[in-house]
């Protein structure tokens, strides 16, 4: 079958399928783990029980009626695409956005791809001397993102499927409170939904990174920590106390001049992270925290939130 044939049979844009074919090339796919081992792996990856049950029920067994030849091709070539960039740290969508309402094989295809990459990326980590505890803490972001997507009724996954290829390629590491992304000259900081962003927790994570990267990636040279986030929007200081965790996090950074980021809408990102919904009317959003009230009041007043970038020296 040609990529055009596959796209037609799956009902997907031909250019998206051709991209997968082109980037995967003739590279090998990553093999799925043995089905008997998967429940333990899902547990280590903090996958919630409801999602784990769906993943197991739709496992790509040989002869499964859920898996057409075209879907199997997409799973195979998607993992080959990700595997071909092992060690990479750029943004990498693993394949086209899928109509997940068509069933669990469609809904979890890129989760199966992530599971296939677990053994590959664990070998990559071992080659770099990375402690197993860091490996599993990093890869367990899969479970966190599946839980968020379930809360968002499927609105979160299109972004998450590309984000998680960083973990599957060895591009990002969870060190305490923050996730740290390898880059050219700066370590990119990401803030998972895993508790208060206290200055003490941030300091501990930064200190860990200062030791981690020279030890495990000695050929890479970093001069700064960087971050791109709505959390760096200085407008938040008009609403939040100056001693709040968010404001104190902002104060670490020197902001870059604002440039509208391609493909990112600050208002959408604030709603995604502060409320875990993109479709609830403003009047129906909760107002339990100072941050939630700030987000809603600012938007209702006609304001907008902005994705800002900043950095500070290591």
């Amino acid at each position: 079958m040609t990529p055009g044939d596959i796209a037609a049979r799956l009902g997907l844009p031909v250019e998206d399928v051709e991209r997968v074919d082109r980037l995967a090339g003739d590279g090998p796919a990553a093999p799925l783990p043995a089905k008997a081992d998967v429940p333990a792996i899902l547990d280590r990856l903090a996958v919630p029980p409801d999602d784990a049950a769906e993943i197991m029920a739709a496992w790509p067994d040989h002869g499964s009626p859920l898996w057409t030849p075209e879907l199997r091709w997409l799973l195979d070539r998607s993992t080959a695409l990700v595997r071909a960039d092992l060690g990479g740290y750029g943004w990498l969508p693993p394949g086209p956005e899928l109509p997940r309402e068509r069933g669990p094989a469609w809904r979890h295809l890129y989760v199966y791809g992530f599971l296939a990459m677990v053994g590959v990326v664990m070998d990559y980590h071992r080659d770099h001397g990375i402690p197993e505890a860091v490996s599993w803490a990093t890869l367990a972001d899969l479970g966190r993102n599946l839980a968020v997507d379930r809360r968002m009724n499927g609105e979160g996954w299109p972004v998450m499927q590309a984000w998680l290829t960083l973990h599957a390629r060895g591009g990002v590491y969870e060190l305490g409170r923050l996730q740290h992304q390898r880059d050219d000259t700066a370590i990119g900081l990401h803030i998972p939904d895993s508790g208060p962003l206290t200055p003490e927790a941030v300091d501990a994570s930064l200190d860990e990174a200062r030791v981690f990267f020279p030890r495990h990636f000695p050929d890479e040279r970093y001069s700064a920590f960087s971050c791109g986030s709505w959390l760096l929007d200085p407008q938040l200081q008009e609403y939040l106390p100056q001693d709040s965790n968010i404001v104190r996090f902002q104060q670490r950074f020197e902001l870059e001049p604002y440039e509208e980021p391609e493909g990112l809408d600050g208002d959408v990102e604030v709603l995604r992270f502060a409320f875990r919904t993109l479709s609830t009317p403003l009047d129906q959003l909760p107002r339990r925290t100072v941050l939630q009230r700030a987000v809603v009041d600012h938007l209702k007043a006609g304001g907008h939130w902005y994705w800002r970038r900043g950095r500070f020296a290591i």
Side-chain angles (χ1 to χ4, degrees):
M1 292 183 291
T2 68
D5 295 332
I6 291 166
R9 295 182 187 186
L10 293 176
L12 299 174
V14 65
E15 60 271 18
D16 291 349
V17 177
E18 287 176 341
R19 171 187 171 273
V20 172
D21 186 58
R22 181 178 69 255
L23 294 181
D26 295 327
L32 283 163
K35 188 176 181 180
D37 297 333
V38 176
I41 295 172
L42 294 175
D43 186 60
R44 302 267 336 235
L45 298 178
V47 173
D50 288 347
D51 291 299
E54 286 188 2
I55 290 165
M56 293 304 301
W59 192 256
D61 289 314
H62 180 71
S64 168
L66 298 174
W67 288 88
T68 65
E70 296 80 21
L71 277 181
R72 289 186 181 277
W73 180 94
L74 183 58
L75 175 60
D76 179 274
R77 292 298 84 199
S78 173
T79 62
L81 180 160
V82 175
R83 188 173 190 170
D85 197 48
L86 184 65
Y89 44 76
W91 193 253
L92 183 68
E97 185 176 337
L98 301 178
R100 299 166 74 215
E101 70 280 358
R102 292 179 64 175
W106 292 77
R107 184 159 56 250
H108 293 307
L109 186 140
Y110 296 119
V111 176
Y112 297 115
F114 186 96
L115 294 174
M117 285 297 299
V118 166
V120 175
V121 77
M122 289 290 284
D123 286 343
Y124 177 85
H125 285 192
R126 280 189 286 270
D127 288 345
H128 287 79
I130 292 166
E132 191 170 294
V134 172
S135 299
W136 285 113
T138 298
L139 296 177
D141 205 27
L142 173 68
R144 181 188 293 134
N145 278 275
L146 285 170
V148 168
D149 184 62
R150 189 170 285 270
R151 281 180 60 192
M152 295 181 68
N153 297 315
E155 293 178 320
W157 189 254
V159 172
M160 296 171 189
Q161 69 186 40
W163 158 244
L164 288 165
T165 68
L166 285 167
H167 308 60
R169 290 176 289 142
V172 71
Y173 297 90
E174 187 157 330
L175 306 173
R177 181 61 185 86
L178 302 175
Q179 294 162 320
H180 299 257
Q181 180 182 350
R182 295 165 51 224
D183 208 333
D184 294 328
T185 60
I187 298 170
L189 301 179
H190 301 274
I191 306 98
D193 187 3
S194 60
L197 191 66
T198 65
E200 295 78 14
V202 172
D203 285 340
S205 184
L206 297 176
D207 286 343
E208 191 173 349
R210 292 183 177 105
V211 175
F212 179 90
F213 287 95
R215 176 179 296 164
H216 301 295
F217 297 94
D219 295 333
E220 298 178 2
R221 297 288 183 268
Y222 297 108
S223 59
F225 290 107
S226 67
C227 185
S229 175
W230 61 271
L231 284 170
L232 298 187
D233 188 338
Q235 294 181 108
L236 285 167
Q237 297 185 34
E238 300 172 16
Y239 297 92
L240 303 179
Q242 288 302 296
D243 62 351
S244 73
N245 290 335
I246 291 176
V247 171
R248 294 171 73 179
F249 184 73
Q250 284 189 354
Q251 290 169 346
R252 297 174 184 267
F253 294 86
E254 179 179 349
L255 288 182
E256 300 174 2
Y258 178 71
E259 293 184 7
E260 186 171 351
E262 183 179 353
L264 276 175
D265 183 312
D267 293 340
V268 170
E269 296 308 308
V270 172
L271 293 172
R272 182 192 308 278
F273 287 95
F275 299 100
R276 298 303 186 189
T277 180
L278 302 180
S279 56
T280 304
L282 293 179
D283 288 338
Q284 297 177 24
L285 290 172
R287 299 175 58 87
R288 289 187 290 269
T289 68
V290 175
L291 176 62
Q292 288 177 339
R293 293 191 291 274
V295 170
V296 172
D297 291 345
H298 189 71
L299 292 174
K300 290 178 72 172
H304 293 283
W305 297 106
Y306 298 97
W307 186 272
R308 298 299 302 270
R309 297 200 61 85
R311 60 175 52 211
F312 59 90
I314 286 181

